Amino acid sequence: QSALTQPPSASGSPGQSVTISCTGTSSDVGAYNYVSWYQQHPGKAPKVIIYEVTKRPSGVPDRFSGSKSGNTASLTVSGLQAEDEADYYCTSFGATNVFGTGTKLTVL
Amino acid sequence: EVQLVESGGGLVQPGGSLRLSCVASGFTFSTSWMTWVRQAPGKGLEWVANIKEDGSAKYYVESVKGRFTISRDNAKKSVFLQMSSLRAEDTALYYCARDAGWFHYDYWGQGTLVTVSS
């Protein structure tokens, strides 16, 4: 079974950019352009911020962007703001465990 | 306005059963795959089960196969999770979510808490 691996933590100062990776395999991330990213604040339900690798739902700031290279997808948060501090999870079609391991983003 | 409202959680003893419900509004439920996702305290998200629009296909994470059953009632715009032989490791906040396609979960409920403890 394939699992999507994310770094446990990431951090940056306000205004900086941070990139979070999501590493899968040639059977999931590498095979499909169906990677989604979810933001979860403490005590709240997850919220989709990126889908189909690069698309942003209505209302999501353009500071959030997604990309993919080979078996690794990435979420970049530009111009970090305090409210971006949250947990972030990726998903990819084809990944048996569906959700990535999660990354806690800290805004210093 | 889209809403997913879960209910049915609570405290149950190991080996016991519980039935979770999720009522949807604000989108076309009958043409949507629906999913249950859980989150143990302090842990990450775990996909649990999903069900096709007409209920003809259902999938489960390995750890709940044979113990959990997902079902739906399109007339009542509801999806259910029947949980039996519950274990301590099933303790979690259970969310229902709509799958807009390809594991893109665009709508989520606020969750219902299941605690398995003696």
Side-chain angles (χ1 to χ4, degrees):
Chain A
Q1 294 189 347
S2 57
L4 301 177
T5 302
Q6 300 178 232
S9 63
S11 63
S13 299
Q16 287 186 331
S17 292
V18 171
T19 297
I20 298 170
S21 62
C22 170
T23 301
T25 69
S26 57
S27 297
D28 41 63
V29 176
Y32 305 98
N33 287 323
Y34 292 117
V35 175
S36 299
W37 288 92
Y38 300 83
Q39 177 191 60
Q40 186 181 34
H41 287 109
K44 299 293 187 181
K47 169 190 170 184
V48 62
I49 56 173
I50 296 288
Y51 66 101
E52 292 179 19
V53 180
T54 61
K55 297 179 180 178
R56 269 189 318 275
S58 173
V60 173
D62 60 6
R63 303 184 292 101
F64 294 91
S65 62
S67 63
K68 191 186 85 165
S69 177
N71 298 336
T72 298
S74 298
L75 170 72
T76 297
V77 187
S78 305
L80 267 177
Q81 297 185 6
E83 59 262 36
D84 298 333
E85 185 160 297
D87 294 325
Y88 292 83
Y89 298 89
C90 62
T91 64
S92 172
F93 187 74
T96 305
N97 291 350
V98 184
F99 288 96
T101 51
T103 298
K104 182 176 182 59
L105 175 60
T106 301
V107 180
L108 303 171
Chain B
E1 179 194 6
V2 170
Q3 274 197 313
L4 289 169
V5 180
E6 302 96 335
S7 62
L11 175 63
V12 61
Q13 292 188 339
S17 299
L18 217 50
R19 187 189 195 221
L20 307 184
S21 301
C22 172
V23 180
S25 60
F27 65 93
T28 306
F29 182 80
S30 61
T31 60
S32 300
W33 279 76
M34 296 299 296
T35 297
W36 286 96
V37 175
R38 67 184 179 183
Q39 187 169 36
K43 302 296 185 182
L45 301 174
E46 181 183 33
W47 180 90
V48 176
N50 68 354
I51 184 168
K52 194 178 177 182
E53 300 97 323
D54 60 0
S56 62
K58 306 172 185 181
Y59 301 94
Y60 302 90
V61 68
E62 194 64 35
S63 61
V64 309
K65 284 181 182 177
R67 301 188 300 121
F68 289 13
T69 302
I70 190 171
S71 61
R72 64 190 295 159
D73 183 337
N74 285 346
K76 295 183 178 179
K77 298 183 181 180
S78 297
V79 61
F80 309 98
L81 189 67
Q82 178 68 49
M83 306 185 295
S84 60
S85 302
L86 282 162
R87 307 166 180 167
E89 53 264 36
D90 296 317
T91 293
L93 186 61
Y94 285 72
Y95 294 101
C96 75
R98 184 181 86 146
D99 186 347
W102 313 106
F103 294 178
H104 167 200
Y105 304 109
D106 58 350
Y107 305 139
W108 294 72
Q110 286 306 301
T112 186
L113 181 63
V114 172
T115 303
V116 184
S117 174
S118 55

Coordinates of all heavy atoms in Angstrom, one line a residue, chain A residues 3-93:
Chain A
A3 N 1.8 5.2 0.7 CA 1.4 6.3 1.6 C 2.1 7.5 1.0 O 3.1 7.5 0.4 CB 2.0 6.0 2.9
L4 N 1.4 8.6 1.2 CA 1.9 9.9 0.8 C 2.7 10.5 2.0 O 2.2 10.7 3.0 CB 0.8 10.8 0.4 CG -0.1 10.3 -0.7 CD1 -1.3 11.3 -1.0 CD2 0.7 10.1 -2.0
T5 N 4.0 10.8 1.7 CA 4.8 11.3 2.8 C 5.0 12.8 2.7 O 5.4 13.4 1.7 CB 6.2 10.6 2.7 OG1 6.1 9.2 2.7 CG2 7.1 11.1 3.8
Q6 N 4.8 13.5 3.9 CA 5.0 14.9 4.0 C 5.9 15.1 5.2 O 6.0 14.3 6.1 CB 3.6 15.6 4.4 CG 2.5 15.4 3.3 CD 1.3 16.1 3.8 OE1 0.2 15.5 3.8 NE2 1.4 17.4 4.2
P7 N 6.7 16.3 5.1 CA 7.5 16.6 6.3 C 6.6 16.9 7.5 O 5.5 17.5 7.3 CB 8.2 17.9 5.8 CG 7.4 18.4 4.8 CD 6.7 17.3 4.1
P8 N 7.0 16.5 8.7 CA 6.1 16.7 9.9 C 5.9 18.2 10.2 O 4.8 18.6 10.7 CB 6.9 16.1 11.0 CG 7.8 15.2 10.4 CD 8.2 15.8 9.0
S9 N 6.9 19.0 9.8 CA 6.7 20.4 10.2 C 7.4 21.3 9.1 O 8.3 20.9 8.4 CB 7.4 20.7 11.5 OG 8.8 20.4 11.5
A10 N 7.0 22.5 9.1 CA 7.5 23.6 8.2 C 7.3 24.9 8.9 O 6.4 25.0 9.7 CB 6.9 23.6 6.8
S11 N 8.1 25.9 8.6 CA 8.0 27.2 9.3 C 8.5 28.3 8.4 O 9.3 28.1 7.5 CB 8.6 27.2 10.6 OG 10.0 27.0 10.5
G12 N 8.0 29.5 8.7 CA 8.5 30.7 8.0 C 8.1 31.9 8.7 O 7.1 31.9 9.5
S13 N 8.7 33.0 8.4 CA 8.3 34.3 9.0 C 7.2 35.0 8.2 O 7.1 34.7 7.0 CB 9.5 35.2 9.2 OG 10.5 34.6 10.0
P14 N 6.5 35.9 8.8 CA 5.5 36.6 8.0 C 6.1 37.2 6.7 O 7.2 37.8 6.8 CB 5.0 37.6 9.0 CG 5.2 37.0 10.3 CD 6.4 36.2 10.2
G15 N 5.4 37.1 5.6 CA 5.9 37.6 4.4 C 6.8 36.7 3.6 O 6.9 36.9 2.3
Q16 N 7.3 35.7 4.2 CA 8.2 34.7 3.5 C 7.3 33.7 2.7 O 6.1 33.7 2.9 CB 9.1 34.0 4.5 CG 10.2 34.9 5.0 CD 11.2 34.1 5.9 OE1 10.8 33.0 6.5 NE2 12.5 34.5 5.9
S17 N 8.0 32.9 1.9 CA 7.4 31.8 1.3 C 7.8 30.4 1.9 O 9.0 30.3 2.3 CB 7.7 31.8 -0.2 OG 7.2 32.9 -0.9
V18 N 6.9 29.5 1.9 CA 7.2 28.2 2.4 C 6.6 27.1 1.4 O 5.5 27.3 0.9 CB 6.5 28.0 3.8 CG1 6.7 26.5 4.2 CG2 7.2 28.8 4.8
T19 N 7.3 26.1 1.2 CA 6.9 25.0 0.4 C 6.8 23.7 1.1 O 7.7 23.3 1.9 CB 7.8 24.8 -0.9 OG1 7.8 26.0 -1.6 CG2 7.4 23.6 -1.7
I20 N 5.7 23.0 1.0 CA 5.5 21.7 1.7 C 5.4 20.7 0.6 O 4.6 20.8 -0.4 CB 4.2 21.8 2.5 CG1 4.2 22.8 3.6 CG2 3.9 20.4 3.1 CD1 2.9 23.1 4.3
S21 N 6.1 19.6 0.8 CA 6.2 18.5 -0.2 C 5.2 17.4 0.1 O 4.9 17.2 1.3 CB 7.6 18.0 -0.4 OG 8.1 17.4 0.8
C22 N 4.9 16.6 -0.9 CA 4.0 15.4 -0.7 C 4.6 14.4 -1.7 O 4.4 14.5 -2.9 CB 2.6 15.8 -1.1 SG 1.4 14.4 -1.2
T23 N 5.3 13.4 -1.1 CA 6.0 12.4 -2.0 C 5.2 11.1 -2.0 O 4.9 10.5 -1.0 CB 7.4 12.2 -1.5 OG1 8.1 13.4 -1.4 CG2 8.1 11.2 -2.4
G24 N 4.9 10.7 -3.2 CA 4.2 9.5 -3.5 C 5.0 8.6 -4.3 O 6.2 8.5 -4.2
T25 N 4.3 7.9 -5.3 CA 4.9 6.9 -6.1 C 4.4 7.1 -7.6 O 3.6 8.0 -7.8 CB 4.6 5.5 -5.7 OG1 3.2 5.2 -6.0 CG2 4.9 5.3 -4.2
S26 N 4.9 6.3 -8.5 CA 4.5 6.4 -9.8 C 3.1 5.8 -10.0 O 2.6 5.9 -11.1 CB 5.5 5.6 -10.7 OG 5.6 4.2 -10.3
S27 N 2.5 5.3 -8.9 CA 1.2 4.7 -9.0 C 0.1 5.8 -8.5 O -1.1 5.5 -8.7 CB 1.0 3.5 -8.1 OG 1.9 2.5 -8.6
D28 N 0.6 6.8 -7.9 CA -0.4 7.8 -7.4 C 0.0 9.2 -7.9 O -0.5 9.6 -9.0 CB -0.6 7.7 -5.9 CG 0.7 7.5 -5.1 OD1 1.6 8.4 -5.2 OD2 0.9 6.5 -4.5
V29 N 0.8 9.9 -7.2 CA 1.2 11.3 -7.6 C 1.8 11.3 -9.0 O 1.4 12.2 -9.8 CB 2.2 11.9 -6.6 CG1 2.6 13.3 -7.0 CG2 1.6 12.0 -5.2
G30 N 2.6 10.4 -9.3 CA 3.3 10.4 -10.6 C 2.4 10.0 -11.7 O 2.7 10.3 -12.9
A31 N 1.3 9.3 -11.4 CA 0.4 8.8 -12.5 C -0.8 9.7 -12.8 O -1.3 9.6 -13.9 CB -0.1 7.4 -12.0
Y32 N -1.2 10.5 -11.9 CA -2.4 11.3 -12.1 C -2.2 12.8 -11.7 O -1.5 13.1 -10.8 CB -3.6 10.8 -11.2 CG -3.9 9.3 -11.4 CD1 -3.3 8.4 -10.5 CD2 -4.7 8.8 -12.4 CE1 -3.6 7.0 -10.6 CE2 -4.9 7.5 -12.6 CZ -4.4 6.6 -11.7 OH -4.7 5.3 -11.8
N33 N -2.9 13.6 -12.4 CA -2.9 15.1 -12.0 C -4.1 15.3 -11.1 O -4.9 16.2 -11.4 CB -3.0 15.9 -13.3 CG -1.7 15.9 -14.0 OD1 -0.6 15.9 -13.4 ND2 -1.7 15.9 -15.3
Y34 N -4.2 14.5 -10.1 CA -5.4 14.6 -9.1 C -4.8 14.7 -7.7 O -5.1 13.8 -6.9 CB -6.3 13.5 -9.3 CG -7.1 13.5 -10.6 CD1 -6.9 12.5 -11.5 CD2 -7.9 14.6 -10.9 CE1 -7.6 12.5 -12.7 CE2 -8.6 14.6 -12.1 CZ -8.4 13.6 -13.0 OH -9.1 13.6 -14.2
V35 N -4.1 15.7 -7.4 CA -3.5 16.0 -6.1 C -4.3 17.1 -5.5 O -4.5 18.2 -6.2 CB -2.0 16.4 -6.1 CG1 -1.6 16.7 -4.7 CG2 -1.2 15.2 -6.7
S36 N -4.8 17.0 -4.3 CA -5.5 18.0 -3.6 C -4.7 18.3 -2.3 O -4.0 17.5 -1.8 CB -6.9 17.6 -3.2 OG -7.7 17.3 -4.4
W37 N -4.9 19.5 -1.8 CA -4.3 20.0 -0.5 C -5.4 20.5 0.4 O -6.3 21.2 -0.1 CB -3.3 21.1 -0.8 CG -2.0 20.6 -1.4 CD1 -1.7 20.5 -2.8 CD2 -0.9 20.1 -0.7 NE1 -0.5 20.0 -3.0 CE2 0.1 19.7 -1.7 CE3 -0.5 19.9 0.6 CZ2 1.3 19.2 -1.4 CZ3 0.7 19.4 0.9 CH2 1.7 19.0 -0.1
Y38 N -5.3 20.2 1.7 CA -6.3 20.6 2.7 C -5.6 21.3 3.8 O -4.5 21.0 4.2 CB -7.0 19.4 3.2 CG -7.7 18.6 2.1 CD1 -7.1 17.7 1.3 CD2 -9.1 18.9 1.8 CE1 -7.7 17.1 0.3 CE2 -9.7 18.2 0.8 CZ -9.0 17.3 0.0 OH -9.6 16.7 -1.1
Q39 N -6.3 22.4 4.3 CA -5.8 23.2 5.4 C -6.7 22.9 6.6 O -8.0 22.9 6.4 CB -5.9 24.7 5.0 CG -5.5 25.6 6.2 CD -5.8 27.0 5.8 OE1 -7.0 27.4 5.6 NE2 -4.8 27.9 5.7
Q40 N -6.2 22.6 7.7 CA -7.0 22.4 8.9 C -6.5 23.2 10.1 O -5.3 23.0 10.6 CB -7.0 20.9 9.3 CG -8.0 20.6 10.4 CD -8.0 19.1 10.8 OE1 -7.0 18.4 10.8 NE2 -9.1 18.6 11.3
H41 N -7.3 24.1 10.5 CA -7.0 24.9 11.8 C -7.4 24.1 13.0 O -8.4 23.2 12.9 CB -7.7 26.2 11.7 CG -7.0 27.2 10.8 ND1 -7.7 27.6 9.6 CD2 -5.8 27.8 10.8 CE1 -6.9 28.4 9.0 NE2 -5.7 28.6 9.7
P42 N -6.8 24.3 14.1 CA -7.2 23.5 15.3 C -8.6 23.6 15.6 O -9.2 24.7 15.6 CB -6.3 24.2 16.4 CG -5.2 24.8 15.7 CD -5.7 25.2 14.4
G43 N -9.2 22.4 15.9 CA -10.7 22.4 16.2 C -11.6 22.6 15.1 O -12.8 22.7 15.3
K44 N -11.1 22.7 13.8 CA -11.9 23.0 12.7 C -11.9 21.8 11.7 O -10.9 21.0 11.7 CB -11.5 24.2 12.0 CG -11.6 25.5 12.8 CD -13.0 25.9 13.1 CE -13.1 27.2 13.8 NZ -14.5 27.6 14.2
A45 N -12.9 21.7 10.8 CA -12.8 20.7 9.8 C -11.8 21.1 8.7 O -11.5 22.3 8.5 CB -14.2 20.6 9.2
P46 N -11.3 20.1 8.0 CA -10.4 20.5 6.9 C -11.1 21.3 5.8 O -12.3 21.2 5.7 CB -10.0 19.1 6.4 CG -10.2 18.1 7.5 CD -11.4 18.7 8.2
K47 N -10.3 22.0 5.1 CA -10.8 22.8 4.0 C -9.9 22.6 2.8 O -8.7 22.7 2.9 CB -10.8 24.3 4.4 CG -11.1 25.3 3.3 CD -10.8 26.7 3.8 CE -10.8 27.7 2.7 NZ -10.5 29.1 3.1
V48 N -10.5 22.4 1.6 CA -9.7 22.2 0.4 C -9.2 23.5 -0.1 O -9.9 24.5 -0.1 CB -10.4 21.4 -0.7 CG1 -11.7 22.2 -1.2 CG2 -9.5 21.1 -1.9
I49 N -7.9 23.6 -0.4 CA -7.3 24.8 -0.8 C -6.7 24.7 -2.2 O -6.5 25.7 -2.9 CB -6.2 25.4 0.1 CG1 -5.1 24.4 0.4 CG2 -6.9 25.9 1.4 CD1 -4.0 24.9 1.3
I50 N -6.4 23.5 -2.6 CA -5.9 23.2 -4.0 C -6.4 21.9 -4.4 O -6.5 20.9 -3.6 CB -4.3 23.1 -4.0 CG1 -3.7 24.4 -3.6 CG2 -3.8 22.6 -5.4 CD1 -3.8 25.5 -4.7
Y51 N -6.9 21.8 -5.7 CA -7.3 20.5 -6.2 C -6.8 20.4 -7.7 O -6.4 21.4 -8.3 CB -8.8 20.3 -6.2 CG -9.6 21.3 -7.0 CD1 -10.1 20.9 -8.3 CD2 -9.8 22.6 -6.6 CE1 -10.8 21.7 -9.1 CE2 -10.5 23.5 -7.4 CZ -11.0 23.0 -8.6 OH -11.8 23.9 -9.4
E52 N -6.7 19.2 -8.2 CA -6.1 18.9 -9.5 C -4.8 19.6 -9.7 O -4.6 20.2 -10.7 CB -7.1 19.3 -10.6 CG -8.4 18.4 -10.6 CD -9.4 18.7 -11.6 OE1 -9.1 19.4 -12.6 OE2 -10.6 18.3 -11.4
V53 N -4.0 19.4 -8.7 CA -2.6 19.9 -8.6 C -2.4 21.4 -8.5 O -1.7 21.9 -7.6 CB -1.7 19.4 -9.8 CG1 -0.3 19.9 -9.7 CG2 -1.7 17.9 -10.0
T54 N -3.1 22.2 -9.3 CA -2.9 23.6 -9.3 C -4.1 24.5 -9.2 O -4.0 25.7 -9.1 CB -2.2 24.0 -10.7 OG1 -3.2 23.6 -11.7 CG2 -0.9 23.3 -10.9
K55 N -5.3 23.9 -9.1 CA -6.5 24.7 -9.1 C -6.9 25.2 -7.7 O -6.8 24.4 -6.8 CB -7.6 23.9 -9.8 CG -7.4 23.6 -11.2 CD -8.6 22.8 -11.8 CE -8.3 22.5 -13.3 NZ -9.4 21.6 -13.9
R56 N -7.3 26.4 -7.6 CA -7.8 27.0 -6.3 C -9.3 27.1 -6.3 O -9.8 27.7 -7.2 CB -7.1 28.3 -6.1 CG -5.8 28.4 -5.4 CD -5.4 29.8 -5.0 NE -5.7 30.7 -6.1 CZ -4.9 31.0 -7.1 NH1 -3.7 30.3 -7.2 NH2 -5.2 31.8 -8.1
P57 N -9.9 26.6 -5.3 CA -11.4 26.9 -5.2 C -11.6 28.4 -5.0 O -10.8 29.1 -4.5 CB -11.8 26.1 -3.9 CG -10.7 25.1 -3.7 CD -9.4 25.7 -4.2
S58 N -12.8 28.8 -5.3 CA -13.2 30.2 -5.1 C -13.0 30.5 -3.7 O -13.4 29.8 -2.7 CB -14.7 30.3 -5.5 OG -15.2 31.6 -5.2
G59 N -12.4 31.7 -3.5 CA -12.3 32.2 -2.1 C -10.9 31.9 -1.5 O -10.6 32.5 -0.4
V60 N -10.2 31.0 -2.1 CA -8.8 30.7 -1.6 C -7.8 31.7 -2.1 O -7.8 31.9 -3.3 CB -8.4 29.3 -2.0 CG1 -6.9 29.0 -1.5 CG2 -9.3 28.3 -1.3
P61 N -7.1 32.4 -1.3 CA -6.1 33.4 -1.7 C -5.1 32.9 -2.7 O -4.7 31.7 -2.6 CB -5.5 33.9 -0.5 CG -6.4 33.5 0.7 CD -7.1 32.2 0.2
D62 N -4.7 33.7 -3.7 CA -3.7 33.2 -4.7 C -2.3 33.1 -4.1 O -1.4 32.8 -4.8 CB -3.8 34.1 -5.9 CG -3.4 35.6 -5.6 OD1 -3.1 35.9 -4.4 OD2 -3.5 36.4 -6.5
R63 N -2.2 33.4 -2.8 CA -0.9 33.1 -2.1 C -0.6 31.6 -2.0 O 0.5 31.2 -1.8 CB -1.0 33.7 -0.7 CG -1.3 35.1 -0.6 CD -1.2 35.7 0.8 NE -2.2 35.2 1.7 CZ -2.0 34.2 2.6 NH1 -0.8 33.7 2.7 NH2 -3.0 33.9 3.4
F64 N -1.7 30.8 -2.2 CA -1.6 29.4 -2.2 C -1.5 28.9 -3.6 O -2.3 29.2 -4.4 CB -2.8 28.7 -1.5 CG -2.9 29.0 0.0 CD1 -3.6 30.1 0.4 CD2 -2.2 28.2 0.9 CE1 -3.7 30.4 1.8 CE2 -2.3 28.5 2.3 CZ -3.1 29.6 2.7
S65 N -0.4 28.1 -3.9 CA -0.3 27.5 -5.2 C 0.3 26.1 -5.1 O 0.9 25.7 -4.1 CB 0.7 28.4 -6.0 OG 2.0 28.4 -5.4
G66 N -0.1 25.3 -6.1 CA 0.3 23.9 -6.1 C 1.1 23.6 -7.4 O 0.9 24.2 -8.4
S67 N 1.9 22.6 -7.3 CA 2.7 22.1 -8.4 C 3.0 20.6 -8.3 O 2.8 20.0 -7.2 CB 4.0 22.9 -8.6 OG 4.8 22.7 -7.5
K68 N 3.6 20.1 -9.3 CA 4.0 18.6 -9.2 C 5.2 18.4 -10.2 O 5.3 18.9 -11.3 CB 2.8 17.8 -9.7 CG 3.0 16.3 -9.4 CD 1.9 15.5 -10.0 CE 2.1 15.1 -11.5 NZ 1.2 14.1 -12.0
S69 N 6.1 17.5 -9.7 CA 7.2 17.1 -10.5 C 7.5 15.6 -10.2 O 7.8 15.3 -9.1 CB 8.5 17.9 -10.2 OG 9.5 17.5 -10.9
G70 N 7.3 14.8 -11.2 CA 7.5 13.4 -11.0 C 6.5 12.9 -9.9 O 5.3 13.1 -10.0
N71 N 7.1 12.2 -8.9 CA 6.2 11.6 -7.9 C 6.0 12.5 -6.7 O 5.5 12.1 -5.6 CB 6.9 10.3 -7.4 CG 7.0 9.3 -8.5 OD1 6.2 9.3 -9.5 ND2 7.9 8.3 -8.4
T72 N 6.4 13.8 -6.8 CA 6.3 14.7 -5.7 C 5.4 15.9 -6.0 O 5.7 16.6 -7.0 CB 7.7 15.2 -5.2 OG1 8.4 14.1 -4.7 CG2 7.6 16.2 -4.0
A73 N 4.4 16.2 -5.2 CA 3.6 17.4 -5.3 C 4.1 18.4 -4.3 O 4.6 18.0 -3.2 CB 2.1 17.0 -5.2
S74 N 3.8 19.6 -4.6 CA 4.2 20.7 -3.6 C 3.1 21.7 -3.5 O 2.4 22.1 -4.4 CB 5.5 21.4 -4.1 OG 6.6 20.4 -4.1
L75 N 3.0 22.2 -2.2 CA 2.2 23.3 -1.9 C 3.1 24.5 -1.5 O 3.9 24.3 -0.6 CB 1.2 23.0 -0.8 CG 0.4 24.1 -0.2 CD1 -0.7 24.6 -1.2 CD2 -0.2 23.8 1.1
T76 N 2.9 25.6 -2.1 CA 3.7 26.8 -1.8 C 2.7 27.9 -1.2 O 1.7 28.2 -1.8 CB 4.5 27.4 -3.0 OG1 5.4 26.4 -3.4 CG2 5.2 28.6 -2.6
V77 N 3.1 28.4 -0.1 CA 2.4 29.5 0.5 C 3.3 30.7 0.5 O 4.4 30.7 1.1 CB 2.0 29.2 2.0 CG1 1.1 30.3 2.5 CG2 1.3 27.9 2.1
S78 N 2.9 31.7 -0.3 CA 3.7 32.9 -0.5 C 3.1 34.0 0.4 O 2.0 34.0 0.7 CB 3.7 33.4 -1.9 OG 4.1 32.3 -2.8
G79 N 4.0 35.0 0.8 CA 3.6 36.1 1.7 C 2.9 35.5 2.9 O 1.7 35.9 3.2
L80 N 3.6 34.7 3.6 CA 3.0 34.1 4.8 C 2.3 35.0 5.7 O 2.8 36.1 6.0 CB 4.1 33.4 5.6 CG 4.4 31.9 5.4 CD1 5.5 31.4 6.2 CD2 3.1 31.0 5.6
Q81 N 1.1 34.6 6.2 CA 0.4 35.4 7.2 C 0.1 34.5 8.4 O 0.1 33.3 8.3 CB -0.9 35.9 6.6 CG -0.7 36.8 5.4 CD -2.0 37.4 4.8 OE1 -3.1 37.2 5.4 NE2 -2.0 38.1 3.7
A82 N -0.2 35.2 9.5 CA -0.4 34.5 10.8 C -1.5 33.4 10.7 O -1.4 32.3 11.2 CB -0.7 35.5 11.9
E83 N -2.5 33.8 9.9 CA -3.6 32.8 9.8 C -3.3 31.6 8.9 O -4.2 30.7 8.9 CB -4.9 33.5 9.2 CG -4.7 34.2 7.9 CD -4.4 35.7 7.9 OE1 -3.7 36.1 8.9 OE2 -4.9 36.4 7.0
D84 N -2.2 31.6 8.3 CA -1.8 30.4 7.6 C -1.3 29.3 8.5 O -1.1 28.1 8.0 CB -0.7 30.7 6.5 CG -1.2 31.8 5.5 OD1 -2.4 31.8 5.3 OD2 -0.3 32.5 5.0
E85 N -1.0 29.6 9.7 CA -0.6 28.6 10.7 C -1.7 27.6 10.9 O -2.8 27.9 11.3 CB -0.2 29.2 12.0 CG 0.4 28.2 13.0 CD 1.2 28.9 14.1 OE1 2.2 29.6 13.8 OE2 0.8 28.8 15.3
A86 N -1.4 26.3 10.4 CA -2.4 25.3 10.4 C -1.7 24.0 10.1 O -0.5 23.9 9.8 CB -3.5 25.6 9.4
D87 N -2.5 22.9 10.0 CA -2.0 21.6 9.5 C -2.4 21.5 8.1 O -3.5 21.9 7.7 CB -2.6 20.4 10.3 CG -2.1 20.4 11.8 OD1 -0.9 20.8 12.0 OD2 -2.8 20.0 12.6
Y88 N -1.5 20.9 7.3 CA -1.8 20.7 5.8 C -1.7 19.3 5.4 O -0.7 18.6 5.8 CB -0.9 21.6 5.0 CG -1.1 23.1 5.2 CD1 -0.6 23.8 6.3 CD2 -1.9 23.8 4.3 CE1 -0.8 25.1 6.5 CE2 -2.2 25.1 4.5 CZ -1.6 25.8 5.6 OH -1.9 27.1 5.8
Y89 N -2.6 18.8 4.6 CA -2.6 17.4 4.2 C -2.8 17.4 2.7 O -3.5 18.2 2.1 CB -3.8 16.6 4.8 CG -3.7 16.5 6.3 CD1 -4.3 17.5 7.1 CD2 -3.1 15.5 6.9 CE1 -4.3 17.4 8.5 CE2 -3.1 15.4 8.3 CZ -3.7 16.3 9.1 OH -3.6 16.2 10.5
C90 N -2.1 16.4 2.1 CA -2.3 16.2 0.6 C -3.1 14.9 0.4 O -3.2 14.1 1.3 CB -1.0 16.1 -0.1 SG 0.1 14.8 0.4
T91 N -3.7 14.8 -0.7 CA -4.3 13.6 -1.2 C -3.9 13.4 -2.7 O -3.6 14.4 -3.4 CB -5.8 13.5 -1.1 OG1 -6.4 14.5 -2.0 CG2 -6.3 13.8 0.3
S92 N -3.9 12.2 -3.1 CA -3.7 11.9 -4.5 C -4.5 10.7 -4.9 O -4.5 9.7 -4.2 CB -2.2 11.6 -4.8 OG -2.1 11.2 -6.2
F93 N -5.2 10.8 -6.0 CA -5.9 9.7 -6.6 C -4.9 8.5 -6.8 O -3.8 8.8 -7.3 CB -6.6 10.0 -7.9 CG -7.5 8.9 -8.3 CD1 -8.7 8.6 -7.7 CD2 -7.1 8.1 -9.4 CE1 -9.5 7.6 -8.1 CE2 -7.9 7.0 -9.8 CZ -9.1 6.8 -9.2

